Amino acid sequence: MDAAKLGVDPEQVHRILKDVAERAARVLAEFAQKHVANSVTAAVSDELGIARAYMGLYARLLGNPYLLASATANLMLDYARLVQASWLRLMGMPVTPVVEPAQNDSRFKDEDWNSNFLFDFVKQSYLITARHIQHTVGSVEGLPAEAQKKVAFFTRQYVDALAPSNFVLTNPQVLRETVATGGQNLLRGLANLLADIEKGEGQLRVSMTDESAFELGRNVATTPGKVVYQTDLMQLLQYAPATSEVLRRPLVIIPPWINKYYILDLRPQNSFIRWAVEQGHTVFVLSWVNPDARLAQKGFDEYLREGPLAALEAVERATGEREVNFIGYCLGGTLLGCTLAYLAAHKERRAASATFFASLLDFSAPGELGVFIDEAQVEALERRMKERGYLEGSEMATTFNLLRANDLIWSFVINNYLLGKDPFPFDLLFWNSDATRMPARMHSFYLRNMYLGNRLAVPGGIELLGTPIDLGRVTVPAYFISTVEDHIAPWKTTYRGARLLGGPVRFVLGGSGHIAGIVNPPSARKYHHWTNDALPESPDEWFAGAMQHPGSWWPDWQRWVEHHGGGERVPARTPGDRGLAVLEDAPGSYAKLRLGPRRPVS
């Protein structure tokens, strides 16, 4: 049967094949030229320590034949139950599934996974196998804690990769699309795959959104403001007022430099920055530079000096106020804690209140991120950073994506490569793909002193600008907002950090995760948040005594900051109307700099 009878346009097929052939030749040539030697070296050195961890696992499994036999017997028993239930269903009898996917598992949402006998069998067979594999490796005793974490994490990656939804013949949606288009979806998918390898300059960089659909200052990061000050490391943005009077004390936001600040200013309806302006805050935000090799020697000291400390002086010139209300988000919150401890050591009261968005001060239990941070991996990372002068942002982004591989990797593999569709324009994923680099010296200090040594939690454990840092000397009223599903800053660990401070602390727990739980405007009416006026020693004890409230935590924070940070109002301030001149419009040139992987420094 020819292509026309199948409803397939031969010319379109020819164009796709031609494009695929040209891309494939170019990508393979570049890959062979640039990456084969590096790949072999990385494989031999086992920088992640995966091989060592699994060798230990196999040794202990072989040394415990009872565990292996028991696991095999239980797996066969569940398979037998599945076969029996499937035969009964085939004969028209009602049966209860042997196993069902989790409620939040979007891989099996297509109706055919339940209604079609064959796909239901494939789905349940996979879920049974996945459950038993993970249970077996989790039951092995005697492995070092770090090895156990690696085995559990990478076993999950392996199991997720083998899901039937990731293959053409075992995904009903993909199979229907393949039949309907005569396979053109797979050809388009191959073209998309090669385009993503090209975009990653030889490494696969899965497209999550249509990046051409967004432009900073046009449809994201649109809150009116100006750049009023800058250093080598940051531009200081001041936002135009939306009210005739504003709170006397300015609000200074320190975002993480792992990503760009405009996660807090995506669209008008979910912009925390715009909402804060509308509440009467004079909002200043640090927009961090996207560094190259020229900033390789900028360390944590420089991020403190050229970041929040420089911002304090600039804000005073712009408003006349010495005291501010601070916010730090994620790594920006870690830097905020250091800033407050530095100021306390020098007996300078420059902050009226401090708010920590999903921020770690204690790194004793960093969650699954710890899988990627041990002495061997940090040494290997330092070698790579020494060659380039920085950590490539795409490498950090890949690590974060692996923490939620089904949502942030495999769903796009299915959409882009199997269904052959273009990714949907989504502002949050546009921001997520806008990765930033980190200077080698700073990142090495951060990994070694925070994650490996947990020295920030020890009074005087680190020194910044020649000053011992002691969080216990921070007496500024503090507000901690963490989120219950956070996979980057686990809330029970952020709770430990909150108890390190020496002043009054309000701890609040939001719904959802690291981003959605923070960027949760009241108008969305989503999720819940929990509050507890006490701060007992245990996070579980705190949660047991907490009260649940519907919707966003933003109004609770606004009441708190007006109480602790000062509710006095003064005439509104316009950027550039006092001691600082306007340099350019927000979002500023630092935020607009978008770098691809391994792009040479000009």
Side-chain angles (χ1 to χ4, degrees):
M1 184 177 292
D2 62 26
K5 291 181 179 179
L6 286 172
V8 177
D9 181 355
E11 290 187 9
Q12 186 177 9
V13 172
H14 174 74
R15 286 195 300 271
I16 295 173
L17 285 172
K18 182 175 180 292
D19 179 59
V20 165
E22 291 175 352
R23 287 182 183 274
R26 186 163 57 249
V27 165
L28 287 173
E30 291 177 354
F31 182 83
Q33 186 176 14
K34 296 181 180 179
H35 298 287
V36 171
N38 291 339
S39 299
V40 171
T41 301
V44 171
S45 63
D46 186 29
E47 291 177 353
L48 294 177
I50 301 172
R52 292 192 299 275
Y54 274 95
M55 287 299 292
L57 173 76
Y58 298 149
R60 283 162 178 76
L61 266 177
L62 293 175
N64 189 351
Y66 173 79
L67 174 62
L68 203 54
S70 175
T72 303
N74 289 333
L75 176 64
M76 293 300 102
L77 181 61
D78 275 348
Y79 276 152
R81 293 171 57 208
L82 175 60
V83 170
Q84 181 185 39
S86 298
W87 275 111
L88 291 174
R89 179 180 176 181
L90 197 60
M91 291 185 290
M93 300 180 66
V95 293
T96 301
V98 176
V99 61
E100 293 186 275
Q103 276 192 333
N104 60 352
D105 191 342
S106 60
R107 296 175 295 177
F108 304 106
K109 295 299 184 184
D110 190 280
E111 180 56 35
D112 276 351
W113 287 115
N114 298 315
S115 62
N116 183 287
F117 167 81
L118 180 59
F119 285 117
D120 179 59
F121 182 86
V122 169
K123 174 191 70 178
Q124 291 196 62
S125 178
Y126 163 75
L127 292 173
I128 287 171
T129 305
R131 183 178 67 188
H132 280 280
I133 289 175
Q134 292 177 297
H135 180 265
T136 300
V137 301
S139 301
V140 175
E141 298 179 349
L143 276 178
E146 293 303 314
Q148 184 66 62
K149 291 176 184 176
K150 288 181 182 179
V151 165
F153 180 83
F154 288 105
T155 298
R156 194 183 81 218
Q157 301 303 315
Y158 170 76
V159 166
D160 288 346
L162 292 182
S165 53
N166 297 336
F167 300 92
V168 175
L169 295 180
T170 51
N171 184 320
Q173 183 184 8
V174 174
L175 199 56
R176 288 196 304 269
E177 186 72 13
T178 303
V179 172
T181 65
Q184 285 192 70
N185 59 306
L186 300 179
L187 291 176
R188 290 194 301 269
L190 181 54
N192 289 342
L193 172 63
L194 293 171
D196 284 350
I197 295 176
E198 280 184 314
K199 182 171 64 176
E201 298 183 9
Q203 296 183 351
L204 180 60
R205 182 186 169 199
V206 181
S207 294
M208 296 184 177
T209 187
D210 178 5
E211 295 178 13
S212 66
F214 300 98
E215 181 184 347
L216 268 69
R218 180 176 63 85
N219 53 5
V220 291
T222 59
T223 301
K226 305 290 183 182
V227 177
V228 294
Y229 180 79
Q230 71 180 47
T231 66
D232 286 345
L233 291 177
M234 67 89 177
Q235 287 187 321
L236 185 65
L237 311 182
Q238 180 181 354
Y239 288 90
T243 55
S244 60
E245 290 188 329
V246 294
L247 291 164
R248 195 187 90 188
R249 288 198 176 97
L251 178 65
V252 179
I253 301 176
I254 310 172
W257 52 90
I258 290 175
N259 297 103
K260 294 186 180 176
Y261 84 90
Y262 65 90
I263 185 59
L264 296 174
D265 188 31
L266 285 175
R267 292 168 290 125
Q269 56 267 41
N270 67 354
S271 168
F272 178 84
I273 290 172
R274 184 180 291 264
W275 181 84
V277 169
E278 291 171 348
Q279 307 312 303
H281 292 280
T282 303
V283 178
F284 292 83
V285 176
L286 281 68
S287 174
W288 297 104
V289 73
N290 204 337
D292 55 29
R294 288 168 294 201
L295 300 177
Q297 292 307 308
K298 293 287 188 180
F300 219 84
D301 282 11
E302 283 73 30
Y303 270 79
L304 172 61
R305 179 192 296 118
E306 299 181 37
L309 294 184
L312 280 172
E313 298 304 316
V315 169
E316 183 176 0
R317 287 165 57 192
T319 65
E321 295 294 328
R322 279 190 61 79
E323 290 190 15
V324 306
N325 294 312
F326 263 129
I327 291 178
Y329 192 172
C330 188
L331 178 51
T334 305
L335 180 59
L336 173 57
C338 295
T339 303
L340 297 173
Y342 174 87
L343 293 171
H346 290 272
K347 296 182 170 53
E348 290 190 51
R349 183 170 178 85
R350 302 298 300 273
S353 73
T355 299
F356 297 82
F357 289 180
S359 301
L360 291 172
L361 298 178
D362 181 305
F363 288 77
S364 58
E368 288 190 324
L369 267 181
V371 169
F372 297 94
I373 305 172
D374 56 32
E375 182 61 37
Q377 292 183 74
V378 170
E379 286 182 0
L381 187 62
E382 286 173 334
R383 287 194 295 270
R384 292 200 299 274
M385 290 194 298
K386 185 177 181 181
E387 294 173 3
R388 295 184 302 219
Y390 54 81
L391 174 68
E392 185 60 72
S394 60
E395 296 173 6
M396 180 64 75
T398 299
T399 299
F400 286 133
N401 291 343
L402 281 172
L403 301 180
R404 293 176 54 206
N406 284 328
D407 293 332
L408 295 178
I409 297 178
W410 294 112
S411 65
F412 296 102
V413 167
I414 295 167
N415 180 81
N416 302 0
Y417 309 148
L418 300 187
L419 294 173
K421 296 180 179 180
D422 293 329
F424 186 77
F426 187 17
D427 55 359
L428 177 59
L429 293 177
F430 171 77
W431 167 84
N432 192 57
S433 68
D434 193 4
T436 56
R437 295 167 171 170
M438 280 163 284
R441 183 164 165 251
M442 180 284 302
H443 199 56
S444 177
F445 178 93
Y446 175 57
L447 293 179
R448 288 194 170 279
N449 288 279
M450 310 304 180
Y451 277 97
L452 284 183
N454 193 26
R455 295 190 181 100
L456 181 58
V458 179
I462 63 171
E463 284 193 7
L464 294 174
L465 300 176
T467 302
I469 299 301
D470 182 356
L471 295 175
R473 298 184 65 177
V474 176
T475 58
V476 174
Y479 186 105
F480 274 75
I481 170 65
S482 299
T483 57
V484 69
E485 297 173 12
D486 198 329
H487 58 288
I488 294 173
W491 80 266
K492 291 185 180 181
T493 312
T494 66
Y495 185 88
R496 295 178 188 176
R499 287 181 48 82
L500 294 175
L501 301 182
V505 174
R506 179 171 178 78
F507 190 90
V508 176
L509 184 64
S512 195
H514 193 72
I515 301 300
I518 299 298
V519 184
N520 180 31
S523 59
R525 299 181 180 178
K526 292 174 66 176
Y527 314 127
H528 290 75
H529 64 279
W530 292 263
T531 63
N532 185 342
D533 293 336
L535 198 72
E537 182 175 352
S538 160
D540 292 323
E541 187 180 350
W542 178 93
F543 190 77
M547 181 177 297
Q548 187 183 75
H549 312 273
S552 173
W553 54 270
W554 291 10
D556 180 80
W557 171 81
Q558 176 63 20
R559 290 188 293 270
W560 178 89
V561 79
E562 286 201 37
H563 176 70
H564 290 281
E568 179 187 348
R569 304 259 170 172
V570 297
R573 305 150 173 144
T574 301
D577 66 355
R578 291 196 58 168
L580 296 179
V582 170
L583 302 181
E584 60 179 310
D585 290 337
S589 54
Y590 282 17
K592 288 182 177 179
L593 183 60
R594 195 175 178 91
L595 299 176
R598 291 180 173 80
R599 186 167 301 172
V601 177
S602 57

